Amino acid sequence: MDFPILSTITFLPLVGAFMIFFIMNGEEEVVAHNSKLAALWTSLITFALSVSILFNHNYDPTSAVFQLTETHGWLPQMGLYYRMGIDGISLPFVLLTTLLTPICILVSWKGITQKVKGYMAAFLALESFVIGVFCATDLMLFYVFWEAMLIPMFLIIGVWGGERRVYAALKFFLYTFVGSVLMLIAILYLFFAGGETFNMALLPQLIIDPKVQVWLWLAFFAAFAVKVPMWPFHTWLPDAHVQAPTAGSVILAGVLLKMGAYGFLRLSLPVLPEASAVFAPMVFALSVIAIVYAALVALMQQDVKKMIAYSSVSHMGFITLGIFAATTESIQGALMQMVNHGIVSSALFMLIGVVYDRMHTRDLNRFGGLVKVIPLYSVVFVFFVMASVALPGTNSFVGEFLILVGSYSVAPTPTIFATLGVVLGAAYMLWLTKRMIFGTPETAEVQRLTDMDKREIAMFIPLVFLVLLLGLYPKALLGITEASAKNLSESLGAGYHETLMRTKDHIVGQTHDMTTGAKTKDANEPSLPAATMKEAH
């Protein structure tokens, strides 16, 4: 029997969280320090195990099927099985999660001083549940991990957050939970309609009536759009980011937002292709609105953390555009940009946290001239700003370029409007840099700032390395995702894009009829295309 690497990676942090509660001997400071060490070593071992997958002879990056699979009976009489597996779509996010968790522990090393044991245990539990979401290949197991993730994140915001932490935590919980309930209804329908199986590998082969697909797609959309978050379901995000501790913002932006986009790739597109094609124009419109609107709102912010939060909404708009364009290039770009955003936005939140720990403010009016006081910090800040605005040579340039090129052939108008986000993104990030980094220090509190210490430097080294690696050698990531992205695009086939074009032409035609007074199509004529489904397995 092969070593259960996925189960080990998934549950090792949970075991570490459980063991932390047995650290009791010694004074409070000693217990807190030992809890930090236990969390750090647990997360580092988990990261090492996840990296070992890349060198596992049983994992083939050129294959699009689920690999390193594990199947065990859970409640087999009810159709419930414990199924785990990964492919080129899920592996990058397992690696991203296991990388960011030890960084988050380092970020919290000095910032968290109260209830340290509980905080470290919550972070390790969160890591376990998020990895479970990306590794589960049973739909009900996926849902269990998806919901379980809410508990530790709710605690991280609600217990260790800012002044309005309870409000922000409840808002985060309610938004996500309501969408998840609708997703559960869709999951149960698929179970009974699909021969009573939750196996994700078989779900794309189901024959589902296009009209039913519409309702199932909307149910999944309710869960995934909130998690991305797409406009107008994004209002929980700025509050959650502002009130969360720095490490909470890092893991939220770096990993949790990717779960919604992952759901679109794993379930909405392959299982409900006809409905996805019908609703794709709506997704394009919402994506463009998110890109432009959130960028404009970011320009108006005085709270630095809130500005970065709105920038996340804007950047995620590019990702949803690329996903539903569904060409190989756009899916590749979306996957890469999900990883890129996880790296760059995490670094930006960490940078804000570094000065917040020293000044206890995020007000832009209180900063200025940091380059003359903390030059090393300023260099790192400008580096990640350049990555955020997709400077050629950085990782974000490759991801955005693939999305725009891959989407243009399918959705030229939304793609053109999306490029406004590139310009606006450069505008608010450069404006932020000018106000924070350059100029003359005007306050005594800025003049007293100290530069980054060894711990803080260590936090940024792996992220700087990845920005340069993926910017200069993108094949390091694209080689992992290529087979799965190509398989997904080809499984949708020409029918997806033909349906998408017909839907767009229908919308344009209806708009033309309303503006010219021409006769509209007969009401009895079907508006949904005939389903072209694969034969059931």
Side-chain angles (χ1 to χ4, degrees):
M1 180 179 177
D2 293 332
F3 179 69
I5 182 70
L6 298 184
S7 291
T8 303
I9 293 171
T10 300
F11 292 107
L12 179 59
L14 197 60
V15 173
F18 181 74
M19 295 302 294
I20 283 176
F21 283 108
F22 288 92
I23 301 176
M24 297 180 181
N25 295 329
E27 298 178 358
E28 184 177 351
E29 291 183 1
V30 175
V31 171
H33 181 72
N34 290 338
S35 299
K36 295 173 189 176
L37 285 176
L40 180 61
W41 279 109
T42 301
S43 60
L44 286 173
I45 294 171
T46 305
F47 174 63
L49 288 172
S50 68
V51 172
S52 71
I53 293 175
L54 298 174
F55 308 100
N56 191 321
H57 68 277
N58 291 324
Y59 180 77
D60 180 10
T62 63
S63 173
V65 301
F66 288 122
Q67 301 179 63
L68 305 179
T69 56
E70 304 171 30
T71 303
H72 305 284
W74 182 9
L75 291 173
Q77 65 273 21
M78 299 178 61
L80 297 176
Y81 287 85
Y82 174 85
R83 293 188 179 94
M84 303 285 273
I86 55 169
D87 62 359
I89 292 176
S90 54
L91 178 56
F93 304 111
V94 173
L95 295 170
L96 182 63
T97 304
T98 58
L99 169 67
L100 289 180
T101 302
I103 292 176
C104 287
I105 301 300
L106 288 176
V107 168
S108 309
W109 204 265
K110 292 183 178 179
I112 300 299
T113 58
Q114 302 295 324
K115 303 176 182 176
V116 176
K117 281 176 56 175
Y119 179 87
M120 295 299 164
F123 242 99
L124 290 179
L126 179 64
E127 180 183 19
S128 270
F129 299 144
V130 172
I131 294 172
V133 168
F134 296 127
C135 290
T137 59
D138 182 273
L139 198 49
M140 186 54 69
L141 185 63
F142 170 87
Y143 179 79
V144 169
F145 283 124
W146 180 281
E147 290 290 77
M149 175 279 306
L150 291 177
I151 300 170
M153 193 65 214
F154 175 83
L155 293 175
I156 290 169
I157 298 173
V159 176
W160 293 276
E163 293 181 359
R164 303 186 66 204
R165 57 187 179 272
V166 175
Y167 167 78
L170 286 172
K171 193 172 182 180
F172 160 76
F173 186 90
L174 291 175
Y175 264 73
T176 307
F177 182 75
V178 170
S180 299
V181 169
L182 295 175
M183 178 171 68
L184 177 61
I185 296 172
I187 289 173
L188 293 175
Y189 179 90
L190 289 174
F191 174 74
F192 292 110
E196 297 189 354
T197 180
F198 290 112
N199 191 343
M200 286 187 180
L202 300 179
L203 291 177
Q205 301 171 12
L206 296 180
I207 298 176
I208 305 173
D209 183 89
K211 293 181 180 179
V212 176
Q213 282 197 39
V214 167
W215 293 106
L216 295 175
W217 191 94
L218 289 173
F220 281 119
F221 181 77
F224 302 150
V226 168
K227 190 75 78 177
V228 168
M230 297 181 68
W231 183 91
F233 310 102
H234 68 286
T235 57
W236 63 269
L237 183 66
D239 291 317
H241 270 309
V242 169
Q243 298 303 319
T246 299
S249 293
V250 170
I251 205 71
L252 181 61
V255 179
L256 268 61
L257 302 189
K258 312 306 178 293
M259 290 168 57
Y262 176 79
F264 285 136
L265 289 165
R266 181 62 75 212
L267 295 171
S268 299
L269 279 174
V271 179
L272 308 168
E274 280 80 6
S276 295
V278 169
F279 284 109
M282 179 192 75
V283 174
F284 295 153
L286 295 179
S287 299
V288 170
I289 292 172
I291 291 169
V292 177
Y293 166 79
L296 291 172
V297 174
L299 271 169
M300 306 301 294
Q301 299 305 311
Q302 293 298 317
D303 186 311
V304 186
K305 207 174 185 185
K306 188 170 285 190
M307 177 184 291
I308 305 303
Y310 276 107
S311 77
S312 292
V313 177
S314 182
H315 286 296
M316 292 302 293
F318 284 98
I319 291 168
T320 50
L321 172 66
I323 289 173
F324 281 88
T327 64
T328 301
E329 294 80 9
S330 70
I331 293 175
Q332 282 269 75
L335 286 167
M336 185 169 193
Q337 198 62 1
M338 288 160 73
V339 174
N340 293 341
H341 179 264
I343 295 169
V344 176
S345 67
S346 295
L348 291 172
F349 279 116
M350 288 159 56
L351 286 162
I352 302 306
V354 168
V355 292
Y356 181 82
D357 288 342
R358 290 159 169 77
M359 295 179 60
H360 303 289
T361 182
R362 294 184 297 267
D363 187 352
L364 260 177
N365 295 321
R366 302 272 294 277
F367 297 109
L370 297 185
V371 69
K372 297 180 180 179
V373 182
I374 45 176
L376 179 58
Y377 172 90
S378 301
V379 169
V380 176
F381 189 95
V382 172
F383 175 83
F384 282 105
V385 165
M386 293 300 103
S388 178
V389 302
L391 184 74
T394 63
N395 54 348
S396 298
F397 173 78
V398 181
E400 283 190 6
F401 182 79
L402 282 172
I403 289 173
L404 295 174
V405 170
S407 301
Y408 183 79
S409 61
V410 177
T413 302
T415 304
I416 291 171
F417 279 107
T419 58
L420 291 173
V422 178
V423 179
L424 292 172
Y428 63 73
M429 291 306 298
L430 294 176
W431 177 74
L432 170 65
T433 304
K434 177 180 180 296
R435 294 192 63 182
M436 278 193 67
I437 303 301
F438 299 105
T440 302
E442 297 180 358
T443 62
E445 59 182 347
V446 170
Q447 295 171 356
R448 290 194 298 266
L449 289 177
T450 57
D451 217 334
M452 292 194 295
D453 57 29
K454 293 180 180 179
R455 172 186 63 87
E456 291 166 334
I457 293 171
M459 289 162 17
F460 290 101
I461 288 176
L463 302 182
V464 170
F465 172 76
L466 286 174
V467 167
L468 295 175
L469 174 66
L470 299 181
L472 300 175
Y473 186 67
K475 189 178 179 181
L477 177 59
L478 297 178
I480 296 174
T481 62
E482 181 179 6
S484 295
K486 184 176 181 181
N487 179 70
L488 176 57
S489 181
E490 291 180 350
S491 67
L492 295 172
Y496 176 88
H497 295 104
E498 290 172 1
T499 301
L500 179 58
M501 295 304 295
R502 284 200 299 269
T503 304
K504 182 181 74 172
D505 292 341
H506 173 71
I507 293 172
V508 172
Q510 292 289 358
T511 304
H512 176 74
D513 291 340
M514 287 188 289
T515 56
T516 61
K519 182 180 179 182
T520 58
K521 184 171 62 174
D522 186 89
N524 294 322
E525 185 177 343
S527 58
L528 285 172
T532 306
M533 304 296 289
K534 300 174 185 177
E535 183 178 354
H537 183 71

